[in-house]
Structures are given as structure tokens and as C-alpha cells.
Amino acid sequence: MAISIITACSNRNKADSGKTTDETKTDETNYSVDRFADIEILRYDVPGFEELTLQQKQLLYHLSEAALMGRDILFDQNNRYNLAIRRSLEAIYKEYKGDRNDEQFKALETYLKRVWFANGIHHHYAEDKFDPGFTQEFFAGCIRNIDKSQLPLREGQSVDRWLAEITPVIFDPAVMPKRTVQSGDGDLLLLSANNYYEGGVTRKEAEAFYTAMKDPYDRTPVSYGINSRLSKENGQLKEKVWKAGGLYTEAIEAIIAELRKAAAFAENDAQKAVIEKLVEYYKTGDLKTFDAYAILWVRDVDSDVDFVNGFTETYGDPLGLKASWEATVNFINREATKRTKIISDNAGWFEENSPTDPRFKKKEVKGVTAKVITVVMLGGDCYPATPIGINLPNSNWIREQYGSKSVTIENITAAYDKASQGNGFSEEFVWGETERERMKKYGFVTDNLHTDLHECLGHGSGVILPGVDPDGLGAYSSTLEEARADLFALYFLADKKLLELGLLDHPDAYKAEYYKYMMNGLMTQLVRIQPGKNVEEAHMRNRQLIAKWIYEKGRDERVVSLEKHGGKTYTVINDYEKLRELIGVLLAEIQRIKSEGDSNAGRILVENYGVKIDPELHNEILERYAGLNLAPYKGFINPVMKEIKNDRGEVTDIALDCSEGYTEQMLRYGKNYSFLPSYN
């Protein structure tokens, strides 16, 4: 297909903010790229790219290539059969000679698109395995009509034997039913279908293995287990480290090659040192080197271009130890960063005035750096669904001694805002015109401020007491940490300090975010859950935990109520000031839980408020939402970055092409950025 080159993806429209309010209506020619199942794919703008220097563009280009090189890693981390299934489906899609409008083929096409989006065969949020929608017989027939060289067969394996192995993984709902199981009475590791543990490693064995490594008196502990698979072989446990020469070496070597190219275009010595230290970490897998890299990265506050590349977030591991591979590449939005600089400059005030116990507050707030960024490339666990904000590093002692970097990805939040106009969601679910008008007027600014406060101050606030295991909250750690950051942001969003700092211009502005948050947590995020299922994903559990806890604790005073009108249920906030007080109470309790490592109290909070769903309300919400014909999940495709060269082969510019479609991009990535063998 012929495609035109443009210098920036302008006037176009995971990241999932978690909000279902006003997220879907789009101009098909400008914003929406594709829609299937419960997913809509959008584009995002890259404003300001054309103003960058050639050196910065070349740096972004090579960092972006590195962001795509690790794509296979995440697929394999999510399930050991994901790469084989993805490649077999892609082979069918490209080679199929039958009627492509046949219902069986269309179902296979949708299934393939879902696998691409979720980076595997399990839903990216609900964790359940997809129902393929086509028959085993159709699949087998397609496979047998493909040249064997196009199939991911094991060495010496026949097509029939391969089908016997792979068919139950795709079609049997009892085989590997959930990617990650984070609660319940069973063994979380044995019940999870992800690929962080192998050989039948049990939760008890894994916890004992890593506990034995830790020194409770070490004030600068490494992130044990973050970059390895724990394997049991002949009854013995050992780590298979993700590094050059180790597990995933083929992809990691490709990442290293692009990082080295990027280093040649670094903006300054500090940034070059960051890239070189990351290369050293990828080569050695040494966790102390990882900490050294994280310290260099958090101290590099002068570079306009920035990136994340590596094994970062631990949401996918039931024990909260092992990190998925992710990448983002971005540059600073200087005008919008004025907002976050005000917040970071006043970080000490916010910490001092937090409603938490003084024992759990930082005595001195160091190195809090916040900025607004424009993303140019998403990869791994940030693609196609991406966060709207990031706060790193995750190591508590590095945060305390060196600080943290916080970003709000405003070209993604802007894309959501552009895509939200006039879709009928507010009219269906928002209680009244007062709330709708307030959300219309202040929704975008308070959304961004909530993200700023969540990432910049929420995650960076508080301390863990000496001797407390930072991994001690286990399966509930991610939910509780996200709740802590959300509560911190919500609490201060209503503070008059934001008016004094000029971040809000009306004392009632915060009510727009309060209403959306409570409505979403109590009701509208349920559109993402299938009937009869529980809430599984950590961010969704966090939001429901907060909303339901506040609803129940304020029930007698009717702080928040669920009201019926015309046979429909609505969220009504009757007392915003009291609501803020309850937010402060819950924030203080969750900070105590984290600071003291009170895993039992954390478990009770999550299980009592974050997991279960009222089936009657759920069914009502699903029925109402279905009438709007909206997609509850959103994701993005990336621009295509291209080097423009003169007759001598010299790079004269980097161009962004935003005309590529979803299927086209995924097939190109499968061809150009597929480095790992099908079985690892």
C-alpha cells in the first residue's frame, strides 16, 4: 500500500485511564482506526515533533526502534504458547485462500486482533482466556493447508502432533483459563497461566526462595526476581535471567544494538550515561547495575527526550515480584510541564499536610521531578493499551534517597478527550445537568491534575518502616499501591492549595473528578466485566475498593447514594466535603498498611471491597451500556518513524507517518520485530 509521509501526526486522535466516561465517539476519518470485540483502536497526535532538532529526532528514532524490539518478550511472559499461537494465526491470515467473508474466518480474524491487542490469548484486563469463536475443525483445516515452513512446529514435530498440543490451549476453557490469578484460596502460581514460573513452582516455594535471599536489615535491597523466570528442574529451583546470553537473548541483543545507536545522539553526557548503564544491565542482568541505572535515570532531569525500556511493572505476577517488559519514548511538553513543576516544587507541603500518620511521612522530600510528555512510541506492556501516567523507579529506597520521575502523557489524555465528544455516555449515566456541565467544563483539567498528583506525589509519598519487607503485601500490593496513589491525588485535588497555586480556577472544579471517580468505581467500570465474573485487574480493584468503601462508610450520612430514576440507577454525591474526609481516612489506613506491611489488613480491604460485584446492578449497567454501542476498551497504534536520507545516504530528517492501519501495523511488527523462537 502506498502511504504518504508527514512530519507529525497532527489533528488526529490503556493508555487506559480506567475511565469509561465519554471515551468512545470518534470521527472515523481522523481518530478511529479499527473496532472489534470490546476494543476500539485510536491514533494519537505527536504535536511539536517537527520543532525538534535532527539530533533529537535521531535519538527518538533509535530509542523507538529499541521500544519495538522487545515485543515478543511480553507475549512469551504472558503465556508460553502465545508466540506459537500468534504466529500460526498470522500465517493463516496471510495465506488463507477461502472466502474471507466466511463467518469462521471472520471469527478467526477477530480472535487474532484480540491476541495482538492483549499480547496473548488472555484478556488484557479481565485476565480470562478468549473464546476463539471459530471451530477446532476450521482451525485444523487452515493449519493443514499452510506450508509447514510457515508454522511454529517444534523440532521434528508433525503438524498433527502440534495440533494435538496447541488445540486445547486455544479451545478448552479449562486449560490455562486465567493469565494471572491474584486472589483466592488456591495456589496463585499454579492457577496462573503466565510464564513467570515453570516446572510446577508453588507459591510457598517461590516465597521461600526469595525470602532466603533477602537481608531484613539491608536498607538498599535490589529488586529480587524482577528480571528472571523461576524454574523448578529435578526438584531444584533456579532463576533463568532475562539478559544477553540468557533467556530472551535474541530480543535483548536487538534492543542493545539500537540503544547503542541511540547513545551516539544523546543530548548530553548524563543521558548518554543512562543509556550505557542500561546496556550494561541488559548484558549482565545484574540487579545492582539495574539500581545504578535507575539512579542515573532519575537524576537526568535536563534532557528533553526521555524513555522507559525494560522489565518494569510487576502487575502481572501474583507475587508482585517479576516485571513485564515495557517501553515508551517521549519528549517534554514544556508549556504543560509548568503545571507539574508547580506540583513538584511544592511536594514537601503536600507530604507534610497529608492526612496520614506522621510516622509514615517522609521527613524530607527529595528529587521529586514531574513533567508532561508527548509520547512518540509505545512498546511491550504499554502497547496498544498504554498508561496515561508513569512514576518510576519503583524501588522504595531509591525513591527515598534520590527521588522519582513522574510524567503525565498528555497527548494520550488529549486523544481520549478528543474521542469523547457527544457519545451519549453522560446522558445515560450521569445523574443531572449540574454534574454534566461541571464535567464538561473541568473534566479534562481535573483528569490531568489527578494523574499529575497520582504519579508525582501519590506514588512518591510515605515511607516503609525499617525492617518491613517491601514485597510483603504480595498479591495485593499492586491494588493497594494504586489505591494509595489515587487517594492521595483525590484528597489534594479538593484542597484550596490548588487554587492558591493557580492550578484550578474555581473551588468546585474538583467535584467533576470526584463525581466521575465515584460513578466509575461504583458503576460504569463494570461494563468491562462479563456477567458472573469478579473484578480481577489491579487498577479496577483499586477504583472499586475506594468507591465501595466510601459508599458503605458514608451510608448512614448519605454521603454518596445510589438513586433510582426511571428504573435506572445513578450515582449521587450529596456531601462533597464529607466525601473528602472519608478519602483522607482511607488514605491514612492504606498508608499504614503499606508502611507496616500489614498484609492481612490489606487482604481484607481488597477482598471485601475490590473484588465482588452486585450482579443485579452489573446486569443493569451492561444492558444500558449496550444500547450506546460503545467499546469499553481503547488502545492506540503507533506512528511509523522513517529516516529521510539524501543521495549520499545521510539522514536529513525523521518523518512520522500516521496512515498505517491496525492490522497492517501488527503484521509489520510480526515480520520486522519478531526475534524470539516460538518456545522459550
Side-chain angles (χ1 to χ4, degrees):
M1 177 184 290
I3 49 180
S4 61
I5 303 297
I6 56 179
T7 56
C9 300
S10 303
N11 299 319
R12 298 184 185 275
N13 186 38
K14 59 213 51 15
D16 194 310
S17 68
K19 297 179 177 65
T20 52
T21 305
D22 288 347
E23 283 185 344
T24 308
K25 182 68 174 180
T26 60
D27 178 342
E28 294 294 327
T29 61
N30 291 327
Y31 304 121
S32 184
V33 180
D34 201 352
R35 179 167 173 178
F36 50 91
D38 55 357
I39 303 294
E40 187 168 25
I41 304 296
L42 306 173
R43 303 187 192 277
Y44 58 85
D45 294 348
V46 190
F49 182 82
E50 60 275 9
E51 278 84 42
L52 300 174
T53 67
L54 177 58
Q55 178 182 341
Q56 289 174 320
K57 290 179 181 179
Q58 288 176 286
L59 173 61
L60 287 167
Y61 175 82
H62 290 294
L63 289 175
S64 294
E65 286 294 291
L68 299 175
M69 297 295 182
R71 178 173 181 250
D72 281 355
I73 294 175
L74 181 64
F75 272 87
D76 192 74
Q77 287 180 316
N78 284 341
N79 184 269
R80 67 180 182 270
Y81 286 105
N82 275 339
L83 287 174
I85 292 172
R86 188 194 82 197
R87 287 166 178 163
S88 66
L89 292 168
E90 288 174 347
I92 293 171
Y93 185 83
K94 290 184 288 187
E95 301 295 329
Y96 188 71
K97 299 299 191 295
D99 180 4
R100 299 178 81 89
N101 290 315
D102 177 76
E103 289 186 5
Q104 290 286 307
F105 180 80
K106 298 300 288 185
L108 183 142
E109 181 181 31
T110 297
Y111 181 71
L112 173 57
K113 289 181 176 182
R114 299 183 81 183
V115 168
W116 282 333
F117 189 90
N119 296 289
I121 62 174
H122 297 85
H123 196 282
H124 71 294
Y125 246 59
E127 306 284 352
D128 295 314
K129 190 168 73 173
F130 296 131
D131 177 357
F134 51 91
T135 66
Q136 298 181 36
E137 292 74 19
F138 177 77
F139 178 70
C142 291
I143 291 295
R144 291 192 175 99
N145 283 322
I146 295 175
D147 189 292
K148 285 180 62 175
S149 65
Q150 303 299 310
L151 296 175
L153 304 178
R154 299 182 188 273
E155 186 176 355
Q157 189 178 40
S158 69
V159 172
D160 285 344
R161 289 185 63 189
W162 182 82
L163 279 170
E165 178 182 3
I166 212 76
T167 296
V169 179
I170 297 175
F171 293 96
D172 188 341
V175 175
M176 299 180 171
K178 280 191 176 294
R179 183 177 67 184
T180 303
V181 177
Q182 301 202 20
S183 62
D185 297 328
D187 191 298
L188 302 183
L189 300 192
L190 297 179
L191 292 173
S192 295
N194 60 40
N195 203 16
Y196 293 122
Y197 304 88
E198 69 177 0
V201 178
T202 66
R203 177 178 182 175
K204 183 177 180 180
E205 289 171 330
E207 290 177 336
F209 181 85
Y210 287 110
T211 298
M213 289 184 173
K214 298 176 181 178
D215 177 357
Y217 300 102
D218 184 1
R219 301 299 295 157
T220 60
V222 298
S223 301
Y224 295 100
I226 197 172
N227 67 334
S228 67
R229 180 189 299 163
L230 185 60
S231 177
K232 184 162 64 174
E233 300 176 10
N234 299 319
Q236 300 297 312
L237 296 179
K238 70 173 185 178
E239 289 187 305
K240 294 182 178 179
V241 179
W242 306 322
K243 65 174 183 174
L247 196 55
Y248 301 145
T249 183
E250 301 90 345
I252 290 173
E253 288 172 18
I255 294 168
I256 289 173
E258 287 300 328
L259 289 174
R260 283 174 168 159
K261 293 176 184 177
F265 298 101
E267 298 174 274
N268 50 59
D269 290 342
Q271 188 180 64
K272 185 177 182 180
V274 170
I275 297 172
E276 290 174 341
K277 187 60 70 173
L278 178 58
V279 168
E280 181 184 345
Y281 165 60
Y282 269 135
K283 290 175 65 177
T284 64
D286 182 78
L287 292 177
K288 286 194 175 294
T289 302
F290 175 68
D291 285 347
Y293 151 73
I295 292 168
L296 289 174
W297 179 80
V298 80
R299 296 172 92 175
D300 175 21
V301 296
D302 297 321
S303 302
D304 287 351
V305 172
D306 209 346
F307 70 104
V308 173
N309 188 299
F311 305 104
T312 307
E313 302 290 1
T314 61
Y315 299 112
D317 176 13
L319 301 187
L321 298 174
K322 306 201 169 294
S324 60
W325 189 87
E326 69 176 50
T328 65
V329 183
N330 62 81
F331 60 91
I332 192 169
N333 179 334
R334 291 201 172 277
E335 182 60 32
T337 293
K338 294 176 182 177
R339 177 185 80 231
T340 54
K341 186 177 187 304
I342 292 172
I343 292 173
S344 57
D345 286 348
N346 288 274
W349 183 92
F350 287 101
E351 182 80 0
E352 182 181 347
N353 287 275
S354 169
T356 57
D357 190 304
R359 294 180 300 143
F360 310 140
K361 295 181 182 181
K362 288 182 175 179
K363 301 298 183 280
E364 180 182 2
V365 179
K366 298 180 181 179
V368 175
T369 303
K371 60 183 177 180
V372 179
I373 63 170
T374 298
V375 73
V376 300
M377 195 63 64
L378 304 165
D381 215 4
C382 293
Y383 170 86
T386 176
I388 59 173
I390 298 171
N391 181 277
L392 293 172
N394 287 326
S395 170
N396 285 288
W397 72 265
I398 294 179
R399 287 175 180 274
E400 291 179 17
Q401 294 186 26
Y402 297 95
S404 62
K405 270 188 196 176
S406 166
V407 300
T408 298
I409 311 177
E410 192 153 305
N411 62 325
I412 294 297
T413 62
Y416 276 132
D417 186 62
K418 290 176 183 178
S420 70
Q421 307 305 316
N423 63 8
F425 187 96
S426 289
E427 287 74 15
E428 178 61 43
F429 287 106
V430 176
W431 172 244
E433 193 60 30
T434 298
E435 288 82 2
R436 278 191 287 273
E437 285 300 312
R438 192 179 284 140
M439 288 161 60
K440 183 177 180 180
K441 187 173 183 179
Y442 298 112
F444 183 66
V445 64
T446 55
D447 266 354
N448 280 330
L449 276 173
H450 181 268
T451 303
D452 296 339
L453 292 164
H454 173 110
E455 301 293 350
C456 177
L457 303 181
H459 282 309
S461 65
V463 296
I464 294 177
L465 296 182
V468 173
D469 183 355
D471 301 318
L473 298 180
Y476 301 102
S477 61
S478 294
T479 295
L480 292 168
E481 176 57 21
E482 291 304 319
R484 191 178 72 93
D486 260 358
L487 288 162
F488 194 100
L490 290 167
Y491 182 80
F492 284 110
L493 196 61
D495 200 287
K496 63 181 180 181
K497 184 71 172 179
L498 297 194
L499 297 170
E500 295 172 7
L501 294 174
L503 297 172
L504 291 175
D505 62 7
H506 194 282
D508 285 343
Y510 77 94
K511 294 179 181 179
E513 185 68 10
Y514 271 32
Y515 186 84
K516 282 193 290 185
Y517 196 95
M518 293 300 296
M519 178 182 68
N520 193 38
L522 288 173
M523 292 174 45
T524 54
Q525 75 168 6
L526 297 181
V527 302
R528 299 177 163 202
I529 307 294
Q530 293 181 358
K533 301 289 187 179
N534 292 329
V535 182
E536 299 287 350
E537 199 274 336
H539 295 81
M540 292 182 72
R541 285 185 169 188
N542 143 50
R543 292 187 286 267
Q544 179 169 289
L545 185 162
I546 291 172
K548 287 189 72 173
W549 187 93
I550 289 171
Y551 171 73
E552 291 194 12
K553 298 301 180 182
R555 189 193 297 268
D556 290 345
E557 298 178 74
R558 291 181 54 79
V559 176
V560 179
S561 58
L562 293 176
E563 304 287 351
K564 287 279 191 179
H565 179 71
K568 298 178 180 180
T569 305
Y570 296 89
T571 300
V572 180
I573 299 178
N574 301 298
D575 191 335
Y576 281 91
E577 292 183 6
K578 184 63 177 179
L579 172 56
R580 189 195 183 212
E581 291 179 18
L582 290 171
I583 287 170
V585 172
L586 184 56
L587 171 59
E589 172 59 8
I590 291 182
Q591 182 62 64
R592 182 199 69 77
I593 288 170
K594 178 163 185 174
S595 295
E596 296 181 345
D598 190 345
S599 59
N600 186 57
R603 176 187 61 80
I604 291 171
L605 261 184
V606 175
E607 292 290 349
N608 284 355
Y609 296 100
V611 178
K612 301 298 182 182
I613 297 173
D614 177 347
E616 183 177 345
L617 177 62
H618 189 197
N619 289 333
E620 177 198 326
I621 298 301
L622 289 174
E623 182 178 347
R624 291 164 63 185
Y625 192 77
L628 298 174
N629 192 31
L630 306 179
Y633 295 99
K634 303 291 182 294
F636 295 88
I637 61 169
N638 288 316
V640 182
M641 301 189 78
K642 298 192 175 185
E643 293 179 312
I644 307 301
K645 298 181 180 181
N646 60 21
D647 294 340
R648 297 184 298 276
E650 300 165 330
V651 176
T652 60
D653 200 4
I654 304 294
L656 300 186
D657 176 350
C658 290
S659 64
E660 189 170 47
Y662 176 68
T663 298
E664 186 181 8
Q665 182 159 109
M666 292 299 182
L667 290 176
R668 180 172 64 87
Y669 284 2
K671 178 182 178 181
N672 296 342
Y673 301 101
S674 193
F675 299 98
L676 296 183
S678 295
Y679 308 96
N680 296 277

